């Protein structure tokens, strides 16, 4: 699935002070990323605070991003949940004509077995849509093991990619080593992007990438070109800011970065809150060195 290669960014949803959606800032954010070399955009992921958007707001965000993007970059739409039948229904009933794939997180909270995870994605594959599996144990409470991912990848060609965010990098390497032809892995962890890309991954779906699109895209391209030393120079520069933006959870850190850059306003919807004054000061200080 080479169209989704390089740096995809999981866009935030900017809010106004009254917590309504700030569409003007959303336009600025999309343009900033397109202008600075991002390869594709991910709409309504976790970073978008999708859990706190109403169905109507989700429709408005999708419509707005499609319009602003104007077919310039490939688009991916987040549709996930822990009710398998409902997720399948949503995928089937959503107009996906503007999207290149659906990003679907593994079921959270329920903690299914490996066989349960297999059956979940098997049912989603039956929709016939291109689906990116998303394994993020820190959020779901359950790791999808490499063996389960590989089993799905071999059996269902439309499960074409995994966004892997397991805390153990060896799991990424196991998938890359044994994956079938035509199946891709991207990092779901910003800090693992470079080693995973060098090991044969197809890049990243990133959070920090939307704050530093030029730098992050350049780093990944250098990795594709085998320019390891130059790629690591950029990686090492961005490590500190990458760690800082996740220090109090996502997306409070990246919203602080984007607010400091004048792209969005620094508002989040409960239960998430903006970065603490101490963290904001550290982010500001680190940004000044970049």
């Amino acid at each position: 699935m080479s169209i989704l290669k390089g740096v995809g960014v999981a866009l935030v949803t900017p809010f106004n002070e009254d917590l309504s959606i700030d569409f003007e800032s959303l336009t600025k954010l999309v343009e900033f990323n397109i202008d600075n070399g991002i390869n594709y955009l991910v709409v309504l992921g976790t970073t978008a605070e999708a859990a706190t958007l109403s169905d109507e707001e989700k429709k408005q965000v999708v419509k707005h991003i499609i319009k602003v993007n104007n077919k310039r970059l490939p688009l991916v739409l987040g549709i996930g949940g822990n009710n398998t039948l409902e997720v399948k229904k949503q995928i089937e009933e959503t107009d996906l004509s503007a999207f290149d794939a659906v990003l679907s997180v593994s079921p959270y909270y329920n903690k299914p077995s490996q066989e349960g995870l297999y059956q979940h994605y098997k049912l989603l594959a039956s929709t016939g849509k291109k689906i990116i599996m998303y394994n993020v144990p820190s959020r779901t409470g359950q790791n999808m093991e490499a063996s389960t991912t590989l089993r799905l990848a071999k059996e269902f060609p439309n499960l074409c990619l995994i966004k892997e965010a397991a805390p153990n990098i060896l799991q990424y390497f196991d998938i890359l080593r044994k994956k079938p032809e035509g199946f891709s892995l991207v990092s779901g962890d910003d800090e693992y992007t470079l080693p995973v890309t060098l090991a044969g991954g197809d890049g990243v779906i990133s959070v920090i990438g939307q704050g530093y699109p030029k730098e992050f895209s350049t780093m990944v391209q250098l990795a594709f070109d085998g320019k390891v030393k130059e790629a690591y120079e950029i990686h090492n520069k961005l490590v500190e800011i990458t760690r800082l933006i996740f220090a109090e959870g996502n997306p409070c850190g990246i919203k602080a970065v984007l607010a400091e850059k004048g792209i969005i306003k620094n508002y989040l919807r409960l239960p998430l809150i903006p970065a603490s004054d101490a963290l904001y000061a550290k982010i500001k200080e680190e940004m000044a060195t970049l």
Side-chain angles (χ1 to χ4, degrees):
M1 187 147 189
S2 58
I3 191 168
L4 301 178
K5 189 173 177 172
V7 179
V9 291
L11 295 166
V12 302
T13 305
F15 298 121
N16 293 303
E17 192 174 357
D18 65 359
L19 298 185
S20 61
I21 295 168
D22 178 359
F23 290 103
E24 195 182 321
S25 294
L26 187 54
T27 301
K28 273 202 278 194
L29 180 64
V30 171
E31 293 292 356
F32 176 63
N33 277 275
I34 293 174
D35 290 347
N36 286 285
I38 287 301
N39 301 101
Y40 59 100
L41 303 172
V42 179
V43 184
L44 297 182
T46 314
T47 307
E49 296 173 72
T52 66
L53 298 177
S54 70
D55 287 347
E56 185 50 43
E57 286 174 325
K58 286 179 186 176
K59 283 176 190 158
Q60 290 170 356
V61 167
V62 166
K63 193 175 165 187
H64 189 78
I65 292 171
I66 289 171
K67 187 180 162 196
V68 175
N69 180 53
N70 195 19
K71 300 184 178 169
R72 288 179 286 175
L73 293 185
L75 297 176
V76 170
L77 180 64
I79 304 177
N82 57 350
N83 175 347
T84 306
L85 293 175
E86 183 56 35
V87 176
K88 177 178 180 270
K89 184 167 169 255
Q90 276 183 34
I91 292 171
E92 286 170 337
E93 292 176 359
T94 302
D95 176 6
L96 296 170
S97 56
F99 292 91
D100 292 273
V102 167
L103 175 68
S104 199
V105 69
S106 68
Y108 41 82
Y109 191 72
N110 309 14
K111 295 184 93 168
S113 65
Q114 294 303 308
E115 183 60 28
L117 290 168
Y118 168 83
Q119 294 293 342
H120 170 83
Y121 279 117
K122 179 183 177 179
L123 198 67
L124 299 193
S126 73
T127 62
K129 305 295 181 189
K130 279 187 174 166
I131 291 167
I132 300 170
M133 300 180 282
Y134 179 18
N135 181 42
V136 57
S138 64
R139 285 187 178 275
T140 63
Q142 183 73 308
N143 180 40
M144 186 157 83
E145 291 165 11
S147 56
T148 304
T149 299
L150 291 162
R151 185 182 169 199
L152 287 159
K154 284 167 185 166
E155 288 181 34
F156 307 103
N158 60 317
L159 300 178
C160 49
L161 199 156
I162 185 163
K163 177 185 178 187
E164 180 60 78
N168 177 6
I169 201 164
L170 301 181
Q171 182 161 309
Y172 301 60
F173 295 157
D174 283 345
I175 296 167
L176 287 168
R177 208 158 35 90
K178 299 174 184 173
K179 71 182 182 66
E181 191 67 42
F183 183 78
S184 303
L185 177 146
V186 297
S187 179
D189 183 318
D190 281 338
E191 211 175 322
Y192 285 176
T193 302
L194 186 53
V196 167
T197 303
L198 290 169
D202 271 337
V204 63
I205 290 176
S206 174
V207 176
I208 192 65
Q210 68 199 299
Y212 291 92
K214 188 167 271 178
E215 295 85 342
F216 224 69
S217 303
T218 304
M219 178 187 79
V220 170
Q221 194 51 56
L222 287 166
F224 288 148
D225 295 341
K227 295 180 177 169
V228 180
K229 188 168 170 287
E230 295 95 322
Y232 265 108
E233 279 169 14
I234 299 175
H235 167 89
N236 290 333
K237 271 184 199 154
L238 293 173
V239 162
E240 243 3 271
I241 193 72
T242 302
R243 289 182 184 173
L244 284 171
I245 67 159
F246 294 110
E248 292 177 3
N250 182 40
C252 84
I254 189 61
K255 280 196 159 181
V257 168
L258 293 166
E260 198 52 37
K261 285 185 173 238
I263 297 167
I264 70 166
K265 305 179 193 94
N266 192 25
Y267 298 111
L268 290 89
R269 283 185 180 176
L270 288 168
L272 300 180
I273 57 169
S276 63
D277 291 347
L279 179 61
Y280 199 100
K282 280 184 193 166
I283 286 172
K284 199 172 167 178
E285 192 182 329
E286 183 58 28
M287 284 178 75
T289 70
L290 291 169

